[in-house]
Amino acid sequence: MKLYLKVLIGLAVAVVTVFTQNNNCILTGNSLGNLTSIQQQCTEIVIENFTVPANQSLSLRNLRNGTTVSFRGLISFGYAESLGNLIVVSGTNITVIGEPGHLFNCRGERWWDGFADNNGKLKPLFFLAINLRYSSVSGLRIKNTPQRVIAIQSSQQVVFSNITIDNFEGDRNGAHTTIGFDLNESSDITIQGSQIVNQDDCIAINSGTNSYFYDNHCRGGRGISIGPLGNRSSNVVRNVHVRGCTVVNSADGIRIRTFANTTGQVLDITYENIQFQNIFDYGIVVRGDLRGNRPTGNATEGFTIRNFTISNVQGWVRPSAISVFVLLAEGVASNWRWSRVNLTGTRNINSCTGVPPNSGVQC
Ligand SMILES: *[C@@H]1O[C@H](CO)[C@@H](O)[C@H](O)[C@H]1NC(C)=O
Ligand SMILES: *[C@@H]1O[C@H](CO)[C@@H](O)[C@H](O)[C@H]1NC(C)=O
Ligand SMILES: *[C@@H]1O[C@H](CO)[C@@H](O)[C@H](O)[C@H]1NC(C)=O
Ligand SMILES: *[C@@H]1O[C@H](CO)[C@@H](O)[C@H](O)[C@H]1NC(C)=O
Ligand SMILES: *[C@@H]1O[C@H](CO)[C@@H](O)[C@H](O)[C@H]1NC(C)=O
Ligand SMILES: *[C@@H]1O[C@H](CO)[C@@H](O)[C@H](O)[C@H]1NC(C)=O
Ligand SMILES: *[C@@H]1O[C@H](CO)[C@@H](O)[C@H](O)[C@H]1NC(C)=O
Ligand SMILES: *[C@@H]1O[C@H](CO)[C@@H](O)[C@H](O)[C@H]1NC(C)=O
Ligand SMILES: *[C@@H]1O[C@H](CO)[C@@H](O)[C@H](O)[C@H]1NC(C)=O
Ligand SMILES: *[C@@H]1O[C@H](CO)[C@@H](O)[C@H](O)[C@H]1NC(C)=O
Ligand SMILES: *[C@@H]1O[C@H](CO)[C@@H](O)[C@H](O)[C@H]1NC(C)=O
Ligand SMILES: *[C@@H]1O[C@H](CO)[C@@H](O)[C@H](O)[C@H]1NC(C)=O
């Protein structure tokens, strides 16, 4: 009797093990039909050699607490013109892993037309993390996205590590607004050890608190950016720490930009140990005069940019580029401490406005 029971229990355990670990938790092929049941049943999900059908999202919005999602092999996407999201991830205590040898080949060249995401062809976003908490995303290898790569919205305590974004081919082929990381209303987001090759901001922090950007390499693109801020539902960026990054072959290196005639706050910002190479517009630019997305030359009051530290920024900007430029209304900026900023390029002596006293800023 006892033996019989043991065998029965053993069999049951074996069956359950096979069910939870096996093919039922692997999504492969090109149908999303099983994705809902996989999310309900599995905490170890594998997505392998999968093609997301055109005009659909790989929607991982119903993951169970503690789920790991691993990507293997080639992940590709059907073509449709839309502003949707190719991949969406939400949940708590989620681990997303790109396994060695996998690749997201978005074939963004099908969308690239020299226009922004919402002009010309409508272009989908690659990866939206929304309401993602206490989670990590690591090792993703991403090639040729239609527009923005990773948008992080309304999320908390998420670490992105070792992400490789390669939109290099977009330089010659009309890629636009391929922002690497786009942060919005999130807190405690860390991005580290990543390589970003693109045509727009390496990272754009639009709102939120406690954003950390460590040991990343930015190439192409428009640098490590805060904003442009103003005119959104939230216009406060607080506590940003950027450390140990390089910015190469980029229009700008570091930038903080706000729209004229809007209000908001940029507080507690530190950039340290940054290397530039071949910057062609501005090394460091802080300006409060945008209208639309363009500079007007007239900065306005309405923003506070307080406690802004820059320490140890070295490297070269092109001779024609301006190494440091600040255009703010008087009284907007306070408590800045810049030191060891050593950049080549044009020094536009006395061209800066709104720089607070004793800040160490040298224009
Ligand atoms: C996956 O889909 C196939 C065919 O559509 C079905 O037979 C199978 O039961 C599904 N598996 C799960 C885990 O839902
Ligand atoms: C995925 O593709 C790779 C390379 O073609 C192949 O080795 C592997 O067996 C595929 N996996 C599945 C589940 O089909
Ligand atoms: C699918 O198309 C509709 C209509 O154009 C659009 O609203 C939606 O965002 C698209 N979804 C995806 C994922 O592309
Ligand atoms: C998070 O998920 C892991 C499994 O991936 C689990 O071991 C751990 O207990 C979870 N943590 C919490 C606080 O739920
Ligand atoms: C999910 O995980 C978090 C920590 O990662 C834990 O605090 C929370 O209680 C868990 N929620 C549920 C519903 O298990
Ligand atoms: C990121 O890569 C570094 C260096 O290869 C490695 O030490 C680290 O464990 C990786 N981190 C994650 C979360 O994969
Ligand atoms: C920022 O997030 C809010 C909601 O959290 C959303 O409505 C808005 O579209 C997002 N903006 C951008 C630029 O992503
Ligand atoms: C702010 O938004 C309003 C309404 O959408 C628009 O009319 C105005 O031009 C915007 N201002 C700026 C500075 O972008
Ligand atoms: C700011 O608003 C004032 C008053 O409406 C207007 O005259 C000025 O042109 C605006 N500045 C910019 C840069 O849009
Ligand atoms: C200034 O900002 C840094 C982060 O960039 C923060 O650690 C520090 O506490 C802030 N100092 C004050 C006086 O708020
Ligand atoms: C900038 O300010 C000057 C002088 O106040 C004004 O004549 C001009 O129209 C303003 N330009 C814009 C774009 O607001
Ligand atoms: C500034 O950098 C140049 C090389 O880019 C170097 O030769 C020079 O010594 C540096 N100056 C200081 C004060 O660090």
Side-chain angles (χ1 to χ4, degrees):
M1 187 62 179
K2 268 189 175 167
L3 183 66
Y4 177 71
L5 254 181
K6 269 190 183 166
V7 168
L8 246 179
I9 289 168
L11 267 177
V13 167
V15 166
V16 166
T17 307
V18 164
F19 252 84
T20 52
Q21 290 189 342
N22 236 330
N23 298 341
N24 291 321
C25 298
I26 300 184
L27 185 70
T28 188
N30 57 14
S31 167
L32 293 164
N34 277 351
L35 189 55
T36 305
S37 64
I38 286 177
Q39 291 184 75
Q40 284 160 357
Q41 289 165 29
C42 307
T43 54
E44 303 276 339
I45 297 174
V46 173
I47 300 175
E48 178 165 359
N49 299 343
F50 188 75
T51 300
V52 179
N55 192 231
Q56 296 192 43
S57 290
L58 179 67
S59 179
L60 300 164
R61 283 174 176 262
N62 300 298
L63 297 168
R64 289 167 56 183
N65 204 337
T67 295
T68 298
V69 179
S70 303
F71 288 97
R72 276 187 202 152
L74 177 64
I75 312 297
S76 43
F77 303 89
Y79 177 76
E81 293 182 30
S82 87
L83 288 170
N85 310 299
L86 299 179
I87 301 176
V88 183
V89 179
S90 306
T92 303
N93 193 18
I94 305 301
T95 305
V96 177
I97 298 174
E99 293 194 358
H102 87 288
L103 177 68
F104 293 93
N105 191 349
C106 305
R107 294 182 52 217
E109 55 274 20
R110 293 173 292 175
W111 284 270
W112 295 341
D113 57 4
F115 292 106
D117 48 3
N118 58 352
N119 284 319
K121 294 177 180 176
L122 300 182
K123 304 168 187 73
L125 171 81
F126 171 64
F127 185 108
L128 174 63
I130 181 163
N131 300 319
L132 184 62
R133 305 197 167 91
Y134 298 94
S135 296
S136 69
V137 178
S138 64
L140 305 187
R141 290 181 57 228
I142 305 155
K143 191 172 164 66
N144 291 1
T145 63
Q147 48 122 325
R148 278 183 295 168
V149 185
I150 295 181
I152 302 161
Q153 191 171 300
S154 309
S155 293
Q156 291 93 39
Q157 303 278 0
V158 186
V159 180
F160 291 81
S161 309
N162 301 353
I163 310 292
T164 304
I165 295 170
D166 175 10
N167 274 7
F168 178 72
E169 292 175 8
D171 284 355
R172 285 183 288 109
N173 294 304
H176 206 284
T177 52
T178 51
I179 298 171
F181 292 88
D182 193 41
L183 273 61
N184 191 4
E185 297 180 12
S186 294
S187 62
D188 300 285
I189 305 298
T190 302
I191 295 157
Q192 60 189 12
S194 296
Q195 316 279 325
I196 299 100
V197 182
N198 67 347
Q199 290 74 33
D200 204 329
D201 305 87
C202 186
I203 177 173
I205 302 170
N206 301 306
S207 57
T209 55
N210 306 347
S211 307
Y212 308 108
F213 196 69
Y214 297 149
D215 304 316
N216 300 302
H217 183 68
C218 304
R219 181 177 288 262
R222 308 202 67 98
I224 302 173
S225 305
I226 294 174
L229 261 75
N231 238 13
R232 291 178 211 256
S233 52
S234 172
N235 300 294
V236 178
V237 170
R238 176 159 216 161
N239 196 27
V240 173
H241 198 162
V242 178
R243 186 180 67 209
C245 296
T246 56
V247 185
V248 176
N249 300 352
S250 295
D252 304 315
I254 290 171
R255 55 184 191 170
I256 299 180
R257 297 176 307 148
T258 66
F259 291 110
N261 291 325
T262 64
T263 59
Q265 297 179 302
V266 180
L267 309 171
D268 305 340
I269 309 299
T270 300
Y271 285 81
E272 59 184 337
N273 306 341
I274 315 288
Q275 293 271 351
F276 292 164
Q277 276 177 39
N278 193 25
I279 304 295
F280 40 88
D281 283 346
Y282 296 98
I284 303 173
V285 54
V286 184
R287 64 191 312 156
D289 68 329
L290 300 192
R291 187 164 61 201
N293 239 351
R294 298 186 183 285
T296 62
N298 288 7
T300 62
E301 293 170 6
F303 263 84
T304 301
I305 303 180
R306 187 172 72 225
N307 184 18
F308 177 21
T309 299
I310 294 189
S311 167
N312 189 24
V313 178
Q314 310 285 329
W316 63 281
V317 310
R318 286 192 193 168
S320 57
I322 295 173
S323 50
V324 174
F325 183 66
V326 178
L327 174 57
L328 294 174
E330 292 302 328
V332 164
S334 61
N335 195 10
W336 290 17
R337 285 175 304 273
W338 292 22
S339 61
R340 297 172 63 208
V341 175
N342 180 14
L343 297 170
T344 62
T346 303
R347 281 202 153 182
N348 247 3
I349 312 276
N350 297 330
S351 71
C352 291
T353 57
V355 175
N358 308 317
S359 58
V361 176
Q362 292 182 312
C363 288

